[in-house]
Each structure stands twice: as structure tokens, then as C-alpha cells.
Amino acid sequence: MTKFAISAAIAALLILPSAAMSGDAKFMIEDAYARASSPAAKAGAAFMQIMNMSGEDDRLIGAQTDASKVTQLHTHKDKGDGVMQMLHVEEGFEIPAGETLMLARGGKHVMLMGLNDPLENGETVSITLTFEKAGDITIDVPVDLDRKPEAGAHGGHGTHSN
């Protein structure tokens, strides 16, 4: 690796302090956060950007955390008339080589159902993401209950608290 490439990599990590990289740098995970709608909520969700830095397509096929009884990959489907339905995506989410998977409010997300304890603002939740080819990557996700929805995202609909 050239001195320039090493300097560029170090600069990128300094600019993106919230980024988490897998041990073999196949994936970079940025802007991760989790939230629940209230301290009494029975469910929460985690959101993030997952960049596939490898040279091959992969798929996020699962997630696991000790923070909830059930952890699943979910998305929203527009049923019309402004009603959004939450769906478990058993096959997971494809992440083509060099592309970014956006897990965002109102879209794809990691769903935490049956929270063992409330998600407290400022704490962290350890989540293990399972990829079809890359295997498991464990990240610490900060709980941010003050974050506003991303532009164009829908708030919590149905039974999800996000």
C-alpha cells in the first residue's frame, strides 16, 4: 500500500469517527443508532448505513442482540391510503459489491421485539449482523431517542416503535 493510500485511509477514519469496520474490512458501518418510541415501548429499531467494501455481492441475512427477545430484518410496504405495513424480510437484504445498504426509518431496519429493558438515551446496544458470505460482524449501536426522522421517512406506523 502506498503512503498516499495509507494516509487517505487514516484520514477517512478520522473524518468518520462513528464508522465501524469489520475485521477484514469487507463492510463499513456508519451512522448507526437505535431508538424506541417511549420508555415503556416493547419494541425498538436500529438503523445504519452498511457499505460493502468487498469485491463481491453479499446479503445481510440476520441480526441478533441480547437487548430483545426477537431480532429481525424488517421493511415497510405501502398498502395505499397512507398506511404502511411492517414486514419481516426472511431472505434479508442484498448488498452489491461497492454499494451501500441504507437501514433508515420508514424503510429497511433491524427490528427489536420484546425489549428486555427500555432503550435509554445515550446507552449502547450490541448487535451482531449476519452476512451470507462475510459471516458475523458485531457493532455497538448508540441509543439516540432525540434524532429526528430522515427526510422522506415515515414515522412509526402499525405495531413498530421506531
Side-chain angles (χ1 to χ4, degrees):
M1 187 179 273
T2 68
K3 287 183 183 180
F4 176 76
I6 293 170
S7 296
I10 291 171
L13 290 174
L14 292 175
I15 292 170
L16 303 169
S18 63
M21 295 187 74
S22 64
D24 55 8
K26 288 186 178 182
F27 288 92
M28 184 165 52
I29 300 161
E30 293 183 319
D31 201 25
Y33 72 101
R35 58 180 289 120
S37 62
S38 73
K42 300 292 183 208
F47 314 98
M48 64 200 75
Q49 298 172 28
I50 304 172
M51 288 151 282
N52 184 344
M53 311 293 281
S54 76
E56 64 179 339
D57 296 350
D58 207 336
R59 179 175 290 276
L60 176 63
I61 58 171
Q64 179 59 41
T65 181
D66 290 337
S68 63
K69 292 173 183 55
V70 176
T71 309
Q72 295 179 338
L73 301 176
H74 279 209
T75 194
H76 292 75
K77 180 180 178 183
D78 188 349
K79 292 182 70 175
D81 297 329
V83 177
M84 299 297 286
Q85 178 183 12
M86 311 301 173
L87 300 172
H88 175 207
V89 184
E90 293 184 43
E91 70 276 11
F93 305 122
E94 184 177 0
I95 312 173
E99 303 262 333
T100 299
L101 171 64
M102 301 294 292
L103 300 183
R105 292 166 68 183
K108 299 170 183 171
H109 57 279
V110 175
M111 192 68 207
L112 313 175
M113 297 178 293
L115 292 174
N116 294 320
D117 294 301
L119 295 180
E120 299 284 343
N121 199 42
E123 292 183 352
T124 60
V125 176
S126 181
I127 298 177
T128 300
L129 303 173
T130 301
F131 297 88
E132 192 170 66
K133 295 177 184 171
D136 291 344
I137 299 172
T138 301
I139 60 171
D140 289 323
V141 178
V143 176
D144 184 348
L145 302 181
D146 299 322
R147 188 178 290 213
K148 302 294 182 214
E150 294 82 9
H154 297 282
H157 297 281
T159 59
H160 288 240
S161 302
N162 41 345

